[in-house]
Amino acid sequence: MNVELRLFATFREVVGRKTVDREVPADATIETVLRDLESEYPDFEGAFVEDGAIPSQVNVLKNGRAVVHLEGLETPVEDGDAIAIFPPVAGG
Amino acid sequence: EVDVPDPALALEQGDVDVEAALDAIEDGEPHETLGSLVDEIEDSGRADYAGAIATFTGRVRAMEDEDDDYTTSLTFEKYDGVAEDRMAAIEADLESREGVEEVLVHHRVGRIEAGEDIVFVVVLAGHRGQAFRAVEDGIDQLKDEVPIFKKEITTDESFWVHERH
């Protein structure tokens, strides 16, 4: 199945694009997706999963909802999900 | 002597995608100003109940102090869709307060030059205390909750603001 990753700010600059389509296994979770991205881009090594959790300065949203309010790294991923990954917000 | 092709600039038909340009304009955000937002809130159906309009304007600060590098511009990017949803949630949350009749929150994106406006919070309320509190809480919530990111360009360098604070 496929998911769409949306990256912002410094994370977008590492990848060079705003969105990336990724194929993930049928039983994938948020952790699968984050580790997959970490292994593809050396700049992301250790950035998204640290001591079994998502670091506090990293925001991960599944279809607009923060995964920390879902099941964290264990949040299941479904075909067509939009997964956003971004650094601390800095509007205003 | 420099060899310049004649004409120096030639556009082949098809170079300009008019359809795409029109789509981009239609998809673009309306140009809002503090004035346009105040005008809009004054037309609220709840205006008869309001004795106060309070506003906050965030703008591009060129210098923190006299020794600071001059900030020439800030460039903002936002998570389209989610940013609007969260700003709408902030408006709804503040509007649920006693005495707060209507709230407008607007944040510009793209490159904004020194001295230009970035963000507006406009509150229509029964009394001034309710209006002041809603304006302050509105901008604070926006800074905490809305997925918008900014890159700062100074005379010497450029950097993402979230990496410096």
Side-chain angles (χ1 to χ4, degrees), chain A residues 6-10 12-13 61 64 66 82 84 86-92, chain B residues 76-79 82 86 107 119 143-144 146-151 160 162-163:
Chain A
R6 299 182 183 192
L7 299 144
F8 296 92
T10 34
R12 173 180 54 73
E13 288 187 341
L61 270 53
F86 52 86
V89 303
Chain B
F76 292 86
E77 70 178 64
K78 75 172 191 288
Y79 185 176
V82 173
R86 292 202 175 170
H107 198 298
V119 60
K143 285 193 168 248
D144 285 344
V146 179
I148 297 177
F149 313 93
K150 69 178 158 213
K151 195 169 200 174
W160 288 93
H162 70 266
E163 299 204 309

Side-chain angles (χ1 to χ4, degrees), chain B residues 55-162:
Chain B
T55 73
F56 172 82
T57 303
R59 58 199 297 281
V60 180
R61 178 178 49 244
M63 300 174 82
E64 200 79 49
D65 56 57
E66 61 185 13
D67 299 325
D68 198 19
D69 279 351
Y70 194 91
T71 298
T72 50
S73 69
L74 297 175
T75 301
F76 292 86
E77 70 178 64
K78 75 172 191 288
Y79 185 176
D80 283 325
V82 173
E84 288 78 2
D85 287 350
R86 292 202 175 170
M87 286 193 278
I90 292 169
E91 291 173 349
D93 176 50
L94 296 171
E95 285 168 357
S96 71
R97 292 183 180 183
E98 177 74 34
V100 175
E101 302 297 345
E102 191 167 334
V103 178
L104 297 175
V105 175
H106 181 80
H107 198 298
R108 291 195 176 135
V109 291
R111 181 183 165 125
I112 305 180
E113 307 293 331
E116 291 183 357
D117 298 341
I118 302 163
V119 60
F120 308 101
V121 179
V122 179
V123 174
L124 182 77
H127 299 272
R128 68 183 183 283
Q130 297 158 335
F132 286 140
R133 281 190 293 277
V135 163
E136 182 169 16
D137 294 346
I139 187 62
D140 287 349
Q141 283 180 36
L142 181 144
K143 285 193 168 248
D144 285 344
E145 297 165 15
V146 179
I148 297 177
F149 313 93
K150 69 178 158 213
K151 195 169 200 174
E152 180 166 339
I153 317 286
T154 73
T155 43
D156 286 350
E157 58 175 348
S158 75
F159 56 89
W160 288 93
V161 173
H162 70 266

Side-chain angles (χ1 to χ4, degrees), chain B residues 29-70:
Chain B
E29 313 225 324
H31 180 74
E32 299 285 8
T33 63
L34 181 61
S36 69
L37 293 169
V38 169
D39 285 349
E40 184 182 337
I41 218 162
E42 283 179 336
D43 286 340
S44 164
R46 298 288 299 171
D48 283 349
Y49 301 90
I53 293 173
T55 73
F56 172 82
T57 303
R59 58 199 297 281
V60 180
R61 178 178 49 244
M63 300 174 82
E64 200 79 49
D65 56 57
E66 61 185 13
D67 299 325
D68 198 19
D69 279 351
Y70 194 91

